Amino acid sequence: MASLKSYREDVDCLRAVAVLFVIGFHWQIAGLSGGFIGVDVFFVISGYLITKLIAGELFAGTFSFATFYLRRARRILPALYATVFVSAIAGWFVLLPPAMLDFGRSAVSVFLFASNILFWRETGYFDLPAGGKPLLHTWSLSVEEQFYLVVPALLWLLVRRYRARPFLIAVALSAVALVSFALSCWQTVHAPSAAFYLSPDRAWEFLLGAGVLLVERKAASVTALIAGLTMIVVSALTFGPAHLLPGPAALFPCLGTALVLWANVQPRNRMMNAGAFVGRISYWLYLWHWPVYVFARLWLQADDDMSVGTKALLAPVTLALSLISYAAIERPFRARQLLGNNKAFVTACTTSALAFAGLVVAAPSVPILTGHYGAEASRIADYSGSYLYPALYRDGTCFLRPEQSFADLDRGQCFKVDPARTNVLLWGDSMAAHYLPGLTDLAPRASFNLLQATASLCPPLFDVDMMERPHCRDFNDRVGALMQANRGLVVLLSADWPSYDTRFGTETFVRALRATVKRLNDAGVRTIVLGPPIRWRQPLPALLADRIERNTGPIDGAELVFEPQFAADRRLRAALPGIPYISILDAACPSQRCPVFAGNVPLSLDRNHLTKEGSILVVQAIAAQLENGIGR
């Protein structure tokens, strides 16, 4: 084993590669669809370095838990606190009150090294989108810190018991890694959010890095270096949503990282030395890149992405913040030039965290803490954070969450057929469920009986699979069987069609939709396809609150709507000749001017999900076409 305190420049070069891939992925740089594997690379590196340090000191008899954790704290906490505090100031100017309250909760979880658990619990379909959470990226830091909490004690116990038989230590750690990998593989399919965020599913990546210590070499292997880097780069360039991560697919970049660590090839030119410097500031680059991107996107009210020019401006801003932070915060704290006394350092960190937590607790009762918005803008903004959609969509019973299966559909409530009336089934994802209030209002007047079978992230298509929705295919098959058993139904198919067009590819998507309609028609079930829903450039309450706060005059829906959806609507209708089709956009948005309010309530609670009032207004706009289609 090499000297425990020797500096490896190649590791910092590897860190540079990892952080640049992560930034490229988060900033939606073309070609880096798998850049998220940079986090897996970091985990393997951390496992290698920390285990090497701890194991070496344990065998040398110099390990101290207090020294270890203080060293970690000086490396991690000042940077983390600076990021949170600066982001809080920026958030006061940019975030809506509900989002600011959400930011406060996430900040407290960051101080507790539990943000991965919080974000896992917040992966509900209607939670604040990832693009609006400035601290979302800290989940990986919490995973690392949880690893640091467990591994020192585990190694201490193993070394104490098997010091003379290190082979048994390796066996024990390998067993833990295998269990973690098996859990990750299973949960990646059955509970993908848990697999992504929770540390037990990631432990094998750290332990893979630790395993490099067993075969560590002093001589360099260029072949291993090239092979490992190839595996990492190929993963970053080719991986995407279809890959099962962090389960089986993650093994490829992680093994590549292990190979690079094992290769032990040290840079010998200026370019590699520059790469090593980027690696040394990689922690700061990681911390700053996401808040900078999120706040810029929110401030500019960008659509799904920002222009290349804007990103080009954000890059030097992120680099400058990282360089300044590295020089003014990290180095002085690690060298004990700032708060060199450990007691003073711990006291300062604890006091800062408690003070911030106190402000978070007080924020709901002290409006000034949640931002600068006035009363009316705040009222509108609240629709993005406190709107009670579950009761409207019959969440958990007729609108199933991603973890629920067909067995959770309450057929007595959701599929109660009335033989005396025409039975109309609302089938699809949340873009079907949000029409429920409007259809419920229309049903008595139009004399039909409304049924519902909806599931988040599950398009109403037969024979398609959704990785995020493990039960989707089975759900649709079973709903199809119910429909075929009740000939004479009229089925309204509604979904976020453009997103599935993108996911599956236009040809595959249209073929699946046509085949679904044909299968139902052949079974005596009539179908009506509802076109794409109204979509806004940003969450509508945020757009409205901003304009109300700025007092920009009359609000024009044509300026706020996501314009590409109109072309998507026309393409879909043209691709379904002979199939009954109702264009929501044509009916509700004459001249592409969509209504932004239903009374004094925003039409939508986010970018596309309708409020109750919005649902009633939109269904009224298509009521005549619906009644004609149902009654024919």
Side-chain angles (χ1 to χ4, degrees):
M1 183 180 289
S3 171
L4 293 169
K5 294 186 178 180
S6 60
Y7 169 65
R8 286 188 52 172
E9 206 163 21
D10 62 318
V11 174
D12 273 333
C13 289
L14 191 55
R15 280 184 173 132
V17 171
V19 78
L20 292 176
F21 279 154
V22 171
I23 294 173
F25 172 73
H26 283 163
W27 287 16
Q28 302 184 56
I29 303 300
L32 289 177
S33 60
F36 52 81
I37 59 95
V39 172
D40 303 277
V41 173
F42 275 124
F43 287 164
V44 178
I45 293 173
S46 292
Y48 168 77
L49 292 176
I50 294 302
T51 305
K52 182 176 183 178
L53 174 65
I54 296 172
E57 292 184 351
L58 283 170
F59 278 103
T62 59
F63 178 75
S64 163
F65 283 101
T67 301
F68 172 78
Y69 286 120
L70 280 169
R71 194 162 49 212
R72 287 289 86 202
R74 285 189 173 275
R75 157 76 165 146
I76 292 168
L77 294 186
L80 206 53
Y81 282 33
T83 304
V84 170
F85 295 152
V86 172
S87 296
I89 294 171
W92 191 88
F93 290 98
V94 177
L95 296 177
L96 294 171
M100 194 62 187
L101 291 172
D102 182 83
F103 173 87
R105 289 190 293 270
S106 62
V108 172
S109 73
V110 168
F111 295 146
L112 296 173
F113 298 121
S115 62
N116 62 322
I117 298 173
L118 175 72
F119 293 132
W120 164 59
R121 292 174 63 88
E122 288 185 346
T123 50
Y125 195 66
F126 290 90
D127 285 306
L128 184 68
K133 297 182 177 183
L135 299 180
L136 180 65
H137 63 319
T138 63
W139 73 268
S140 63
L141 303 178
S142 292
V143 170
E144 285 206 30
E145 291 311 307
Q146 289 159 19
F147 174 78
Y148 297 154
L149 287 174
V150 173
V151 167
L154 177 61
L155 288 175
W156 181 81
L157 288 171
L158 290 173
V159 170
R160 185 178 181 183
R161 185 172 181 84
Y162 303 116
R163 177 183 294 272
R165 292 178 289 175
F167 172 74
L168 293 179
I169 297 176
V171 169
L173 294 178
S174 298
V176 174
L178 287 173
V179 170
S180 170
F181 183 67
L183 175 65
S184 179
C185 291
W186 186 86
Q187 290 208 132
T188 296
V189 174
H190 296 91
S193 293
F196 183 84
Y197 282 112
L198 300 186
S199 52
D201 299 83
R202 298 284 187 167
W204 68 270
E205 301 183 20
F206 293 91
L207 293 173
L208 178 62
V212 175
L213 292 170
L214 301 176
V215 289
E216 194 170 31
R217 53 185 288 149
K218 293 183 179 180
S221 173
V222 175
T223 302
L225 173 69
I226 294 173
L229 285 176
T230 300
M231 294 168 75
I232 294 170
V233 172
V234 167
S235 300
L237 298 180
T238 62
F239 278 13
H243 289 79
L244 294 176
L245 290 159
L251 195 59
F252 193 66
C254 288
L255 285 175
T257 305
L259 270 176
V260 173
L261 293 172
W262 180 78
N264 195 24
V265 176
Q266 301 306 308
R268 293 184 176 86
N269 57 59
R270 291 182 179 179
M271 180 177 176
M272 296 299 286
N273 291 337
F277 178 75
V278 173
R280 286 194 288 276
I281 64 170
S282 61
Y283 181 40
W284 286 104
L285 288 169
Y286 184 81
L287 283 174
W288 284 124
H289 85 278
W290 182 244
V292 165
Y293 184 79
V294 169
F295 286 126
R297 186 166 171 264
L298 292 174
W299 178 258
L300 296 173
Q301 295 185 346
D303 293 336
D304 291 319
D305 193 13
M306 291 184 288
S307 68
V308 174
T310 301
K311 294 174 188 176
L313 292 175
L314 296 182
V317 171
T318 301
L319 179 61
L321 283 171
S322 301
L323 291 172
I324 293 169
S325 302
Y326 178 71
I329 299 176
E330 179 175 335
R331 295 186 68 180
F333 270 102
R334 294 184 73 178
R336 296 198 175 194
Q337 294 169 353
L338 289 175
L339 294 178
N341 180 277
N342 286 332
K343 184 177 180 179
F345 173 76
V346 172
T347 300
C349 290
T350 304
T351 303
S352 300
L354 289 175
F356 194 94
L359 292 175
V360 171
V361 171
S365 303
V366 185
I368 191 63
L369 294 177
T370 61
H372 63 284
Y373 288 90
E376 179 60 11
S378 295
R379 182 186 74 82
I380 296 300
D382 279 344
Y383 281 95
S384 67
S386 60
Y387 198 75
L388 299 177
Y389 81 90
L392 296 179
Y393 298 177
R394 299 198 286 191
D395 179 62
T397 55
C398 305
F399 174 60
L400 303 185
R401 307 183 196 101
E403 71 275 10
Q404 291 183 293
S405 67
F406 177 82
D408 295 302
L409 185 72
D410 185 348
R411 289 176 55 183
Q413 178 184 1
C414 315
F415 209 97
K416 190 174 182 179
V417 175
D418 183 351
R421 290 185 291 168
T422 300
N423 292 283
V424 176
L425 173 65
L426 181 61
W427 180 35
D429 59 14
S430 62
M431 297 295 99
H434 73 165
Y435 295 124
L436 181 66
L439 291 170
T440 301
D441 181 72
L442 177 65
R445 292 185 282 118
S447 299
F448 64 81
N449 178 47
L450 183 61
L451 313 176
Q452 181 185 358
T454 52
S456 64
L457 296 171
C458 185
L461 302 171
F462 294 124
D463 303 323
V464 299
D465 293 299
M466 296 289 290
M467 187 182 73
E468 307 94 324
R469 192 74 161 74
H471 305 292
C472 181
R473 190 184 186 114
D474 179 69
F475 173 81
N476 285 333
D477 285 343
R478 290 173 179 269
V479 171
L482 282 179
M483 289 188 276
Q484 292 181 41
N486 291 274
R487 299 173 67 87
L489 281 178
V490 178
V491 180
L492 305 180
L493 291 81
S494 183
D496 185 9
W497 302 121
S499 71
Y500 302 120
D501 184 311
T502 301
R503 173 185 288 267
F504 300 124
T506 299
E507 184 178 346
T508 300
F509 161 66
V510 172
R511 188 191 312 123
L513 183 52
R514 287 174 178 165
T516 297
V517 172
K518 183 179 186 303
R519 178 169 158 183
L520 292 176
N521 290 344
D522 290 346
V525 176
R526 288 191 288 138
T527 58
I528 300 174
V529 175
L530 302 184
I534 298 172
R535 184 175 179 85
W536 308 96
R537 291 195 295 107
Q538 285 288 311
L540 182 60
L543 294 171
L544 296 176
D546 178 75
R547 275 154 179 75
I548 291 170
E549 188 66 22
R550 295 185 188 183
N551 194 23
T552 57
I555 299 173
D556 186 353
E559 297 177 356
L560 307 184
V561 78
F562 183 63
E563 190 173 346
Q565 67 188 318
F566 295 98
D569 182 39
R570 292 191 292 270
R571 287 194 302 270
L572 182 58
R573 176 160 43 190
L576 302 174
I579 295 176
Y581 184 95
I582 297 177
S583 171
I584 303 294
L585 297 174
D586 280 355
C589 305
S591 302
Q592 298 190 6
R593 278 183 164 78
C594 300
V596 295
F597 284 105
N600 67 344
V601 173
L603 189 83
S604 307
L605 61 93
D606 50 26
R607 289 192 68 176
N608 40 26
H609 294 96
L610 297 170
T611 58
K612 175 183 177 181
E613 295 79 1
S615 178
I616 292 173
L617 188 150
V618 169
V619 170
Q620 285 176 347
I622 63 171
Q625 296 179 73
L626 271 176
E627 292 182 55
N628 182 58
I630 292 170
R632 66 181 175 81

